[in-house]
Amino acid sequence: MTFEGLDGCGKSTQMELLAEALRRDGLDVVTTREPGGTPTGEKIRGVILDSRTRSLAPMAELALMFAARAQHIAEIIRPALDAGRFVLCDRFTDSSEAYQGGGRQMGSELVLTMHQVVCGDLMPDMTILMDSDAEASVARARRRNKANASDGVDENRFEKEKVEFFERVRAAYNKIAVREPTRVFKVNARRAKDVVHPEIVAAVRERMLG
């Protein structure tokens, strides 16, 4: 199961809150993220998100995303699923389709072809799409990254894009939601987290555990 949405929309927070709720239900839950999730993936994450690599070509960016994903699947996701664990992942291929396919205007077909090559038939059983206003989400992400910069962490590369980039990303996410309504559960992320959380838990229990 995955969480998707613009940076700053609250998806990481909601994923952890859901993990806590599911663990209280007795499930063995694994939480992970992309790009990253493994030592190799975290190194790739540093390249992709560091503002000093802003000149990275779109195709190189996409290839790095899938390189990190391939390692993530092999090292974390497949073993956890094979062991019967409940996997919650912050971002997966939908992010590539939204950010590179939509934001970078590379198109969905290329991304989905790469997914087939790298991931095969592995797709989330359910995806929570945290839908939010582009300007507000990016502003929150920039504040968060500025605070993290004091610890020497630079993940500002995408946040340096113009708002039009993020509007294309949001539009791509919404197209995915329309295309795959049985998988994608769209949530209005502009509300307080304490309002959003029970809505997500109820949807997951109904669709995944009912």
Side-chain angles (χ1 to χ4, degrees):
M1 182 179 163
T2 57
F3 276 75
E4 294 284 355
L6 296 171
D7 281 332
C9 70
K11 61 183 172 49
S12 302
T13 297
Q14 290 297 336
M15 187 182 79
E16 291 301 331
L17 290 172
L18 176 63
E20 292 172 9
L22 295 177
R23 287 175 182 133
R24 288 195 296 270
D25 287 345
L27 294 176
D28 184 2
V29 180
V30 175
T31 59
T32 188
R33 71 175 183 176
E34 290 199 353
T38 68
T40 300
E42 292 295 327
K43 290 178 181 178
I44 296 173
R45 178 187 180 90
V47 173
I48 295 171
L49 300 186
D50 194 317
S51 61
R52 291 170 293 185
T53 56
R54 194 175 182 189
S55 61
L56 192 67
M59 186 60 76
E61 179 182 280
L62 181 62
L64 285 170
M65 289 287 190
F66 273 101
R69 185 164 296 133
Q71 187 65 27
H72 194 203
I73 291 169
E75 193 171 336
I76 301 295
I77 296 176
R78 282 289 189 193
L81 293 174
D82 290 345
R85 307 180 77 185
F86 197 103
V87 178
L88 295 180
C89 189
D90 185 345
R91 299 198 180 284
F92 197 61
T93 297
D94 289 333
S95 280
S96 297
E97 188 175 353
Y99 278 82
Q100 284 77 49
R104 301 288 186 217
Q105 299 179 290
M106 300 179 75
S108 294
E109 184 177 352
L110 171 62
V111 177
L112 295 177
T113 298
M114 289 189 70
H115 174 87
Q116 188 63 42
V117 172
V118 173
C119 311
D121 61 356
L122 183 64
M123 282 293 288
D125 294 310
M126 181 177 181
T127 296
I128 303 295
L129 173 57
M130 303 281 289
D131 184 50
S132 59
D133 173 77
E135 286 196 52
S137 290
V138 174
R140 284 195 297 270
R142 285 171 177 162
R143 288 195 297 270
R144 177 200 64 204
N145 291 345
K146 185 176 181 180
N148 291 341
S150 62
D151 297 326
V153 177
D154 181 349
E155 294 191 345
N156 287 290
R157 183 168 165 269
F158 281 94
E159 279 66 45
K160 291 184 180 295
E161 297 290 341
K162 295 179 180 178
V163 70
E164 290 81 9
F165 171 86
F166 295 101
E167 288 172 347
R168 291 195 299 270
V169 172
R170 184 187 180 196
Y173 269 131
N174 283 315
K175 286 181 181 178
I176 296 170
V178 171
R179 187 181 73 210
E180 300 188 50
T182 58
R183 173 174 69 87
V184 180
F185 181 76
K186 187 174 170 181
V187 176
N188 178 358
R190 293 180 291 276
R191 299 168 297 164
K193 68 178 182 179
D194 293 340
V195 174
V196 174
H197 171 60
E199 186 175 306
I200 291 173
V201 172
V204 171
R205 285 175 173 158
E206 179 183 350
R207 292 194 181 195
M208 300 284 291
L209 308 174

